[in-house]
Amino acid sequence: MRFMSMVKFNEAKLAPPPKRFLDAMDQLMQDAAKAGCVMVEAGGLLPTANGARVRLYGGKVTVTDGPFTEAKEVIGGYAIFEADSKENMLEWTRRFIELHKAYLPDWEGEAELRQLAGPGEKLCDQAREVHEVAV
């Protein structure tokens, strides 16, 4: 199974991480890979000042240039992992957040996990099923 982890945090509080945090993160990724949770892609996102939003709301399309000062938390980075289960992915994500707690005591944020659709999965059918259960 593949999962995308999107890290969200307050962009206004962003600071360069210390080397010891980066070293601990590298060790965590090595340990995760040995346990079958392998990062296959990752990337950081530039500040929202470099971005834009295109929104459809009330039948109208609008474009807004960044920065997005109204947003309390923004997606600052992502990673895609190959893991054998959601539970395994959740455990390594919890450890990832624990590293932030240990090395960046003022950092606040979250990691949102989403399973990626595999080849041949019918996303519209799954969305319809979720909607029917919710109604």
Side-chain angles (χ1 to χ4, degrees):
M1 297 179 192
R2 284 198 173 198
F3 293 89
M4 176 180 274
S5 173
M6 296 166 281
V7 179
K8 300 177 184 180
F9 57 88
N10 184 329
E11 185 176 52
K13 295 182 179 181
L14 183 61
K19 183 178 182 326
R20 58 191 180 92
F21 171 77
L22 298 175
D23 292 343
M25 187 66 67
D26 183 54
Q27 185 62 54
L28 179 74
M29 292 301 106
Q30 290 179 40
D31 294 346
K34 290 176 189 171
C37 185
V38 179
M39 185 190 315
V40 295
E41 183 180 337
L45 302 178
L46 293 174
T48 61
N50 298 73
R53 287 186 179 154
V54 181
R55 177 176 290 168
L56 171 61
Y57 187 78
K60 183 178 178 186
V61 176
T62 59
V63 177
T64 306
D65 288 327
F68 311 123
T69 55
E70 75 282 0
K72 290 184 180 179
E73 290 187 339
V74 298
I75 298 172
Y78 74 94
I80 296 175
F81 291 86
E82 184 74 43
D84 58 2
S85 68
K86 181 180 177 182
E87 292 75 20
N88 189 16
M89 188 66 219
L90 283 170
E91 174 59 23
W92 289 103
T93 302
R94 185 193 60 75
R95 292 182 188 191
F96 169 80
I97 293 296
E98 288 287 343
L99 277 185
H100 286 73
K101 180 180 172 183
Y103 291 93
L104 306 170
D106 294 330
W107 187 88
E108 293 181 342
E110 65 182 43
E112 178 180 336
L113 291 179
R114 302 283 295 276
Q115 186 173 348
L116 297 175
E121 287 193 56
K122 297 180 180 178
L123 296 176
C124 292
D125 291 345
Q126 288 183 17
R128 188 176 301 110
E129 290 171 13
V130 169
H131 177 72
E132 288 170 358
V133 169
V135 173

